[in-house]
Structure formats: structure tokens, C-alpha cells
Amino acid sequence: MMAYGCPADAVDEYLRLGETTALLCLEHFVQGIINLFGAEYLRRPTPEDLQRLLDIGEIRGFPGMIGSIDCMHWEWKNCPTAWKGQYTRGSGKPTIVLEAVASADLWIWHAFFGPPGTLNDINVLDRSPVFDDILQGRAPKVNYIINGHEYHLAYYLTDGIYPKWATFVQSIPLPQSPKATLFATHQEAVRKDVERAFGVLQARFAIVKNPALLWDKIKIGKIMRACIILHNMIVEDERDGYTQFDVSIFAQQESN
């Protein structure tokens, strides 16, 4: 059901299970995944993780960058009628918002799920715990120098709607000079990490791509958490293989 997004009664004859039993199995499965693996795969970055993220950011031309942040909507088909207006934006379908931070290997470091679909990215950010560590003084110490200035806060790459804060770096709209054009091109390329993470999450778990068929929002949230945990497991298993192959074997021989 998580991988193919099929409804519970689509597999009842094949599995010889009732619809309600299949839903219960799904519920217990996601709860088990969260209990067993949530602490490891939904953790905040450890100092080693943070150093790796900063090193990758520096290689890609953004020293001090630890990921890109954005929001995604998950359509909620069986949203209670009384809540329809609260969860429905222009598209006419009720949705629930997921705010996420993803790094270059598509690991999702922060996931905040549950705001109603009427909220835009700024309103979701106001409700999000993503900056709680900074506000409470627990943020990890980061030092980097750009243009001779020393900075002490890491930052995220964002699209244009986010506020102009020190912890966000946006692209330059309508860049005029070659310098601004180059920066905008690179920022927009690296910011796509979070969009790619959303795409991969939906491709791996079609339940997130299709409209949510459950009635209970808490259970929908648990399914989303379990999908993110499993996604991060796959990333951890595969990310070392992203650069393992020797590129030279694919190089064409020069013909004389």
C-alpha cells in the first residue's frame, strides 16, 4: 500500500485479508518503523553530519550551506467536510503541507508535516520548529568567510517567497550583470535538492503521490513520517555508491 498507493480493499482478495485488517496492518507497520528507526533516521545532524554537509556545500560553491528548504502539498481526499475550507487553497482540493530540508544526497534532515493547505510557505515557517535550536541558543557553531566577512550561522537555500533572513539565501530575480547571472544559476541549481527529494519520495512511495485515503490526520502524519524514515534508509544505503564508479572507464578514446 505504501509503495504502490493502492486502496486497502484492492489487495483483500489477493491477501485473503479484510479491508479493515489491511489498514490495521499498515497502521501497526508505520508505528513500528517510527518506534524502531525514528530516533536514528529523523535525527538532527550530529557534529560529524554537520561537518560533512558543510564540506559538500563548500565543494558546490556555497560555504556554510547545510541544505535547501521548501514545502510540498499532499492532497487529502477524505478530509472532513467541516475542515474543507481550512485545508483547501486555489486548486479546490484539500491538502496537508510538508515542510522539509534536504541535502545533496537527498537525505531529509527536517520534516514538519501537518499545517493545512491554505497556508503558504511563510505561514508554515512561522509554525515550524526548524529554527528552535537557533532561538534557544543550541545551534551548532559554524565559521566561514565570504568576501572577507566572517559568519557564524549556517544557512539554507530557498526560493523567492521566503523572508530575507540571515539564515536564508535566495536567488537573484532578473539578474542583470554576468556575476549576478552566475550566482542565480548556481543557487537555483543547488536549491533543486529539496525538489528532487520530494520527487524521489513520491516516486518511491506512491501513497504520498496519490490523494490520502484515510480520515484521521494523525495516522496520515505517521504514514508520512514512516515514508521519510524509509527514504532516508535507502539514501544511507545507496549514497556511497553515487560516486563509486570510476568515470575514466566511460571516457571516449581519442580517435586519430
Side-chain angles (χ1 to χ4, degrees):
M1 284 168 68
M2 287 170 75
Y4 298 122
C6 60
D9 58 354
V11 290
D12 54 359
E13 298 202 353
Y14 170 57
L15 295 176
R16 313 270 177 96
L17 282 179
E19 180 186 356
T20 48
T21 320
L23 283 170
L24 266 174
C25 290
L26 176 72
E27 215 174 299
H28 286 305
F29 176 75
V30 297
Q31 190 62 58
I33 291 281
I34 292 168
N35 292 347
L36 279 171
F37 303 108
E40 183 182 351
Y41 290 97
L42 288 176
R43 66 179 187 272
R44 62 189 55 196
T46 62
E48 296 80 38
D49 292 330
L50 196 70
Q51 194 52 54
R52 189 169 50 81
L53 291 175
L54 290 168
D55 292 345
I56 292 171
E58 191 144 5
I59 291 166
R60 303 174 84 200
F62 288 92
M65 188 266 295
I66 51 173
S68 34
I69 186 170
D70 201 14
C71 294
M72 173 186 110
H73 289 254
W74 184 8
E75 187 187 324
W76 187 8
K77 180 171 178 284
N78 288 334
C79 173
T81 311
W83 294 2
K84 274 250 168 41
Q86 185 185 350
Y87 283 80
T88 305
R89 213 162 77 179
S91 64
K93 300 272 197 293
T95 57
I96 310 175
V97 180
L98 167 74
E99 179 191 68
V101 171
S103 55
D105 54 9
L106 306 189
W107 181 291
I108 294 175
W109 286 106
H110 155 85
F112 173 59
F113 181 74
T118 42
L119 304 184
N120 63 14
D121 294 12
I122 306 170
N123 308 129
V124 174
L125 182 70
D126 287 338
R127 292 156 175 73
S128 162
V130 64
F131 289 133
D132 285 2
D133 284 3
I134 293 179
L135 297 174
Q136 292 160 8
R138 284 182 291 143
K141 293 285 175 281
V142 177
N143 290 311
Y144 56 97
I145 295 173
I146 297 178
N147 291 344
H149 295 277
E150 192 171 348
Y151 296 94
H152 301 287
L153 274 182
Y155 58 85
Y156 300 113
L157 300 183
T158 65
D159 49 9
I161 189 171
Y162 281 89
K164 307 258 181 292
W165 291 351
T167 45
F168 290 143
V169 171
Q170 281 121 344
S171 180
I172 299 172
L174 304 174
Q176 302 294 323
S177 65
K179 191 172 171 182
T181 311
L182 183 72
F183 175 82
T185 308
H186 277 265
Q187 194 275 353
E188 287 159 17
V190 177
R191 192 196 73 78
K192 292 287 186 289
D193 290 343
V194 64
E195 308 288 357
R196 284 167 46 226
F198 288 148
V200 169
L201 186 71
Q202 289 179 326
R204 280 180 180 151
F205 302 103
I207 194 167
V208 181
K209 185 168 62 179
N210 300 337
L213 300 174
L214 292 171
W215 304 87
D216 186 348
K217 187 177 165 186
I218 293 170
K219 290 176 188 171
I220 295 175
K222 284 180 177 171
I223 290 175
M224 178 60 96
R225 287 187 67 164
C227 288
I228 290 170
I229 289 169
L230 293 168
H231 165 86
N232 281 352
M233 276 186 191
I234 299 172
V235 167
E236 182 189 57
D237 184 54
E238 293 182 353
R239 73 171 153 215
D240 299 334
Y242 291 164
T243 53
Q244 284 292 310
F245 51 81
D246 181 12
V247 189
S248 61
I249 61 174
F250 299 113
Q252 297 286 325
Q253 293 297 321
E254 293 276 327
S255 60
N256 46 15

